[in-house]
Amino acid sequence: MTIRTARDAVAASAGYLRWLGFRDVVQPEERSASAVDLRGPGLVAQVDPSTRPTGLRAVECLWLNGLSNAATSVCFSLAGYTPEAHERADGLGIPLFVLDLTGTPQPVNPPAGALLAAGAP
């Protein structure tokens, strides 16, 4: 799936999460201020389709949302991550993926590689 819009990025991420074994992955109809774009049983995921690298605050908010929902947190970004966000995600165990313009997610940190290797918990 070629990424042309934010909706394409969310759809590609949802398809990838399903491929990893997460079930019933959906985009909530009502979007909250938490910026969680996808949910499923035991899953919260954020998709950042902007042209700026995803920052530390976004990673920390995603982690807190996952923690409060007892869910795995996963982050997708088109533009990559700031060094601070990458470092914090590594420390918190949050898988980070970068979407290329063909819609193919690439793992960019050890937790993402582990999720790719093992699939959904």
Side-chain angles (χ1 to χ4, degrees):
M1 162 183 269
T2 301
I3 305 291
R4 294 188 186 113
T5 66
R7 182 167 284 169
D8 293 341
V10 171
S13 299
Y16 189 71
L17 289 166
R18 287 183 197 106
W19 178 79
L20 285 172
F22 290 99
R23 297 175 332 196
D24 303 323
V25 177
V26 296
Q27 184 175 17
E29 287 184 31
E30 291 185 31
R31 295 183 60 180
S32 67
S34 66
V36 173
D37 295 306
L38 297 167
R39 289 191 181 273
L43 169 73
V44 293
Q46 180 176 336
V47 182
D48 183 355
S50 71
T51 57
R52 291 185 185 169
T54 301
L56 175 62
R57 184 171 191 269
V59 167
E60 289 178 336
C61 288
L62 176 63
W63 174 73
L64 287 170
N65 200 301
L67 188 64
S68 68
N69 288 287
T72 299
S73 300
V74 182
C75 195
F76 295 88
S77 176
L78 279 177
Y81 302 89
T82 64
E84 298 83 9
H86 198 285
E87 182 179 338
R88 182 65 54 103
D90 287 352
L92 296 172
I94 297 175
L96 301 179
F97 291 90
V98 172
L99 290 165
D100 64 24
L101 294 179
T102 67
T104 306
Q106 300 296 322
V108 295
N109 69 346
L115 180 60
L116 179 60

